[in-house]
Amino acid sequence: MLRIEKLNFAYGDLKVLWDVDLEVRQGEIVTVVGANGAGKSTILKNVSRLVRASSGSLRFNDVDLLRMASHEVVGLGIVQVPEGRRIFPEMTVLENLRMGSFVKATRKDRERNVERAFTLFPRLKEREKQLGGTMSGGEQQMLAIARGLMGNPKLLLLDEPSLGLSPLLVKNIFEIIKEINRQGTTILLVEQNVYQSLHVSSRAYVLETGRVVLSGTGAELLANAHVKKAFLGM
Ligand code: ATP
């Protein structure tokens, strides 16, 4: 579904990605794990075209993403949920959700998608009239994911969905990620919570200072000596 080959990227003089190869097949949950600053978010931003690679290849099914702008990528069904929530604080939960179906083609599904979001996140239903900015961190994270789903994504890009959440909510958010995937959405996830994310992943990549140093199934990487030492404190 998504094939990244030899992707190189720099912010000005700062080279961040080096020859990154990464593939996401239909139906998978694929995770990129790595330390702070490894370049994980930058991979997602290249896919959603918020930034533009200097060389390499980036294909979604048969479409060359390198030539596309970010609004065109959304039209293909690639939806990014950014790190740090970024919901609309002055709008209610329901209004925030409705903003997620801004692409014309998804408007006819708006009410059905709202219901789906409320089923996945009952907390949002209870708070549908509350202003986004007054929700807790965890609730805002749920709202950001739910809003992303309003765009009928084929490929959902999730940037650190568990960041800053309590252990109980972290568990909850990974359960929901699995459920979204089970309902048919392919997911590319970027996470610092290596243990939880490898548990839900079909496959994963380890990124170190902008290079893929390891890849395998979630189970393989959980059993890998380097992963255990570097990320799982074992
Ligand atoms: P984190 O988990 O801390 O978000 P990450 O692996 O997602 O880390 P990126 O956000 O991709 O890392 O950042 C990779 C490197 O690029 C970092 O050194 C960061 O400081 C730098 N960087 C990110 N965004 C910019 C920018 N807009 N301008 C300049 N440098 C940037």
Side-chain angles (χ1 to χ4, degrees):
M1 185 178 227
L2 176 73
R3 188 185 286 272
I4 299 175
E5 284 174 333
K6 299 257 170 294
L7 190 72
N8 286 280
F9 180 81
Y11 290 105
D13 290 337
L14 180 70
K15 182 101 188 258
V16 175
L17 298 177
W18 306 77
D19 287 339
V20 169
D21 289 337
L22 184 154
E23 189 190 2
V24 182
R25 301 174 199 138
Q26 180 135 14
E28 286 189 318
I29 300 178
V30 171
T31 304
V32 181
V33 299
N36 275 319
K40 305 181 298 295
S41 303
T42 303
I43 294 179
L44 293 191
K45 286 179 188 158
N46 269 286
V47 176
S48 56
R49 313 308 295 137
L50 295 174
V51 299
R52 291 168 169 275
S54 47
S55 77
S57 146
L58 200 56
R59 300 187 73 82
F60 181 68
N61 296 322
D62 284 329
V63 182
D64 180 1
L65 296 182
L66 284 186
R67 295 165 184 278
M68 303 193 88
S70 51
H71 69 275
E72 295 173 308
V73 167
V74 175
L76 295 175
I78 300 177
V79 173
Q80 178 165 6
V81 177
E83 184 182 5
R85 288 132 199 171
R86 308 232 191 99
I87 50 125
F88 301 108
E90 302 297 334
M91 288 185 179
T92 67
V93 166
L94 188 58
E95 286 163 350
N96 264 281
L97 286 179
R98 290 196 169 133
M99 289 300 286
S101 47
F102 60 91
V103 173
K104 227 179 182 168
T106 65
R107 263 175 233 160
K108 62 177 182 354
D109 300 324
R110 186 176 270 170
E111 293 318 309
R112 190 170 54 91
N113 280 337
V114 167
E115 284 314 310
R116 178 185 176 215
F118 284 160
T119 307
L120 278 168
F121 300 96
R123 179 75 65 91
L124 297 182
K125 169 79 182 158
E126 289 162 21
R127 288 160 188 266
E128 65 177 297
K129 295 195 179 72
Q130 189 171 326
L131 292 184
T134 66
M135 306 269 283
S136 75
E139 290 164 351
Q140 290 190 25
Q141 186 60 277
M142 291 176 187
L143 181 54
I145 296 173
R147 190 182 58 190
L149 291 175
M150 295 294 294
N152 285 341
K154 294 192 177 93
L155 176 64
L156 186 65
L157 309 175
L158 293 176
D159 196 346
E160 308 259 11
S162 80
L163 193 73
L165 301 188
S166 69
L168 192 65
L169 271 184
V170 169
K171 202 159 167 273
N172 188 230
I173 222 92
F174 280 103
E175 287 298 327
I176 290 168
I177 290 169
K178 268 201 294 192
E179 177 59 21
I180 292 169
N181 177 251
R182 205 189 57 75
Q183 292 181 4
T185 305
T186 304
I187 295 174
L188 176 58
L189 175 69
V190 155
E191 260 296 338
Q192 284 189 47
N193 190 323
V194 175
Y195 183 76
Q196 295 276 358
S197 57
L198 290 183
H199 265 286
V200 303
S201 298
S202 328
R203 290 182 309 105
Y205 295 81
V206 178
L207 197 67
E208 282 178 9
T209 53
R211 291 182 175 83
V212 172
V213 295
L214 268 176
S215 63
T217 64
E220 280 165 359
L221 292 186
L222 277 169
N224 178 278
H226 177 68
V227 171
K228 281 184 176 170
K229 187 158 178 279
F231 299 109
L232 301 176
M234 293 178 185

